């Protein structure tokens, strides 16, 4: 069986090539082809000898993702459906905004956590994505941004399918590759990892020495309500999340973003706003109030506008930095929580 060349570090490639009588410099060229120039075939590596290219393709293979379907929303949002080498479907989204060009990438095929309101949660977790499968989504979305809007990506959010902190090593490795001069050379400051709240993962991420941002999908102001919609809260309750997030802030200096979907009559009352404000005083944070995107078969629905506005004003008046997030890409099921491979049925 051929080995996956993209799993090898530069050092490992160097060792292999040196053992075959090639120079270290050749290894660097191969590495650049793979990561800087996104080659997916040894025959593309035109500055290597034919002999070396042949030798490499005998021993190694690529396992790249391929674009399978592209959909554009009326608001400019673009969703790309990708196929993995083993024929699984994942999705990435590019969201153009006035000042930003944001890519939203998947970290797993499906998700194991089954939050009550999320379309991805209805799919079983099939497998983790390898780090280069996450990285490839970013490269593709970056090319798409340049082709469609003449601008490269400015931000990356790990908010597609899957729970990033349950695919920890690959997520961190993908971030390092996005940062790296051989990769996209994008600053970690522009990257946000969103989690449903894995205490151990948050602490570990704090210790990585990466200057990234963390978003917590909070969605409820207390354990009782959060347990009801997010099963993960039973084993990772709010009182354990708070010290983990404070530790993250201590280590990175970056405030935590609380994502809070407003559900009609479930978590959008003034009592909920009061409880949320109390919680927010315990962690340096911002609050994103999110409009719920309808998912078929879910009993929750989005808040009425007047309740949303009252909730928002309460937070602002109490000194909690908050914004109301407009949903993007709804008409193509590219909005938060709508990624569920509907693309397959087209
Ligand atoms: N698993 C991670 C990251 C992916 S989900 C997490 O849960 O944080 C990205 C965001 O979309 C999360 O905040 C999630 O709670 C939210 N979301 C899920 N379903 C949604 C829906 N139908 N409408 C709006 N947001 C949704
Ligand atoms: Fe998974 Fe996040 Fe959806 Fe929950 S909200 S099911 S953790 S993708």
């Amino acid at each position: 069986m051929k080995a996956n060349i993209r799993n090898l570090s530069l050092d490992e490639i160097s060792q292999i090539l040196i053992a075959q009588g090639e120079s270290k410099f050749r290894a660097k060229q191969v590495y650049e082809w793979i990561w800087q120039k996104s080659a997916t075939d040894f025959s593309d590596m035109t500055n290597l000898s034919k002999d070396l290219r042949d030798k490499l393709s005998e021993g190694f293979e690529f396992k790249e993702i391929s674009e399978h379907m592209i959909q554009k929303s009326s608001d400019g949002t673009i969703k790309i459906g990708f196929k993995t080498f083993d024929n699984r479907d994942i999705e990435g989204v590019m969201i153009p905004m006035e000042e930003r060009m944001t890519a939203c990438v998947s970290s797993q095929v499906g998700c194991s956590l089954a939050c009550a309101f999320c379309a991805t949660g209805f799919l079983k977790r099939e497998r983790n994505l390898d780090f280069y499968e996450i990285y490839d989504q970013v490269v593709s979305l970056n090319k798409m941004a340049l082709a469609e809007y003449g601008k490269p990506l400015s931000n990356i959010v790990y908010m597609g399918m899957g729970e990033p902190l349950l695919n920890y090593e690959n997520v961190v490795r993908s971030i390092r590759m996005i940062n790296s001069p051989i990769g996209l050379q994008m600053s970690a400051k522009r990257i946000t990892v969103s989690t449903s709240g894995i205490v151990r993962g948050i602490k570990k991420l704090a210790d990585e020495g990466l200057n990234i941002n963390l978003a917590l999908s909070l969605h409820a102001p207390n354990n009782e309500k959060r347990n009801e919609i997010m099963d993960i809260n039973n084993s990772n309750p709010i009182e354990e999340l708070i010290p983990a997030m404070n530790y993250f802030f201590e280590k990175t200096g970056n405030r935590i973003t609380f994502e809070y979907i407003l559900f009609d009559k479930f978590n959008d009352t003034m009592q909920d706003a009061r409880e949320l404000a109390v919680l927010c005083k315990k962690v340096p944070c911002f609050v994103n109030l999110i409009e719920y995107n309808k998912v078929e078969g879910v009993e929750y629905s989005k808040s009425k506008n007047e309740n949303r506005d009252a909730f928002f004003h309460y937070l602002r008046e109490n000194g909690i930095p908050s914004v109301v997030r407009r949903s993007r890409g709804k008409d193509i099921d590219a909005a938060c929580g709508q990624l569920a491979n509907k693309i397959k049925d087209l």
Side-chain angles (χ1 to χ4, degrees):
M1 214 176 82
K2 292 183 183 182
N4 180 356
I5 186 108
R6 303 182 80 201
N7 264 334
L8 302 182
S9 65
L10 176 56
D11 271 352
E12 289 165 329
I13 297 177
S14 298
Q15 280 167 21
I16 291 166
L17 291 199
I18 288 167
Q20 296 184 358
E22 296 285 347
S23 66
K24 216 173 165 173
F25 174 69
R26 289 274 171 256
K28 184 145 184 290
Q29 284 180 318
V30 172
Y31 201 67
E32 279 173 0
W33 274 110
I34 300 171
W35 297 109
Q36 214 163 42
K37 302 180 196 157
S38 303
T40 53
D41 202 309
F42 293 105
S43 62
D44 295 341
M45 303 185 177
T46 45
N47 56 1
L48 307 183
S49 70
K50 170 95 175 43
D51 185 42
L52 177 56
R53 281 185 269 157
D54 288 347
K55 257 198 265 171
L56 286 169
S57 54
E58 274 161 32
F60 298 98
E61 64 178 353
F62 288 86
K63 284 188 171 169
E64 77 276 16
I65 58 170
S66 55
E67 289 179 10
H68 153 70
M69 176 81 71
I70 295 166
Q71 284 177 291
K72 193 166 178 180
S73 159
S74 53
D75 68 16
T77 300
I78 294 176
K79 173 160 89 172
I80 307 184
F82 299 99
K83 284 263 183 226
T84 61
F85 72 91
D86 55 351
N87 209 30
R88 298 179 199 259
D89 290 285
I90 54 167
E91 295 168 340
V93 179
M94 194 200 71
I95 308 146
M97 288 176 273
E98 236 162 72
E99 313 252 298
R100 287 177 176 201
M101 190 64 77
T102 304
C104 172
V105 295
S106 296
S107 56
Q108 298 180 312
V109 185
C111 185
S112 59
L113 295 184
C115 300
F117 48 83
C118 174
T120 305
F122 293 168
L123 308 168
K124 295 249 167 325
R125 189 198 76 108
E126 291 180 32
R127 70 166 172 85
N128 283 338
L129 290 178
D130 269 312
F131 83 96
Y132 50 83
E133 295 176 308
I134 303 173
Y135 177 78
D136 283 354
Q137 294 172 61
V138 180
V139 170
S140 260
L141 291 163
N142 191 46
K143 279 190 192 143
M144 182 66 77
L146 284 165
E148 289 283 321
Y149 298 101
K151 283 194 276 190
L153 296 177
S154 64
N155 296 76
I156 298 167
V157 296
Y158 284 67
M159 291 189 189
M161 302 165 78
E163 168 48 54
L165 298 187
L166 292 182
N167 184 15
Y168 187 89
E169 299 302 333
N170 284 306
V171 163
V172 167
R173 205 166 159 193
S174 70
I175 293 170
R176 293 199 192 282
M177 191 47 89
I178 294 167
N179 286 168
S180 152
I182 203 94
L184 288 170
Q185 223 170 343
M186 269 182 76
S187 145
K189 199 82 217 140
R190 303 196 160 270
I191 301 177
T192 300
V193 170
S194 176
T195 179
S196 55
I198 313 291
V199 171
R200 218 162 46 111
I202 294 172
K203 288 190 195 148
K204 206 167 162 199
L205 197 59
D207 285 328
E208 289 291 340
L210 286 168
N211 189 17
I212 54 171
N213 301 290
L214 181 72
L216 175 75
S217 296
L218 184 61
H219 306 328
N222 57 47
N223 284 328
E224 199 191 338
K225 287 193 183 184
R226 200 164 187 265
N227 286 342
E228 196 179 321
I229 53 172
M230 300 181 76
D231 188 38
I232 187 72
N233 194 69
N234 285 294
S235 47
N236 292 257
I238 293 176
E239 65 276 13
E240 289 180 28
L241 288 168
I242 289 173
M245 289 185 289
N246 278 320
Y247 183 65
F248 185 91
F249 177 74
E250 249 171 62
K251 287 291 184 135
T252 62
N254 297 331
R255 284 167 177 250
I256 314 299
T257 302
F258 285 161
E259 293 168 88
Y260 193 97
I261 304 173
L262 287 163
F263 296 109
D264 187 39
K265 298 191 192 83
F266 175 71
N267 65 357
D268 66 346
T269 65
M270 277 303 109
Q271 173 61 22
D272 295 307
R274 275 192 291 275
E275 286 184 50
L276 178 59
V278 172
L279 207 163
C280 286
K281 301 280 186 202
K282 297 180 180 166
V283 179
C285 65
F286 307 101
V287 177
N288 276 348
L289 296 174
I290 299 168
E291 182 188 345
Y292 183 56
N293 299 308
K294 186 96 205 100
V295 173
E296 242 168 87
V298 169
E299 56 178 307
Y300 302 95
S301 55
K302 69 176 205 159
S303 279
K304 299 199 173 56
N305 288 353
E306 63 262 31
N307 293 341
R308 177 199 63 201
D309 294 346
F311 198 98
F312 172 61
H313 288 302
Y314 181 88
L315 294 181
R316 290 306 278 260
E317 276 160 22
N318 284 277
I320 314 292
S322 348
V323 291
V324 175
R325 282 258 173 266
R326 217 159 41 96
S327 185
R328 301 288 302 263
K330 264 195 284 196
D331 54 339
I332 55 168
D333 285 323
C336 285
Q338 290 185 316
L339 300 182
N341 298 147
K342 273 214 195 129
I343 235 164
K344 267 199 291 209
D345 310 328
L346 291 173

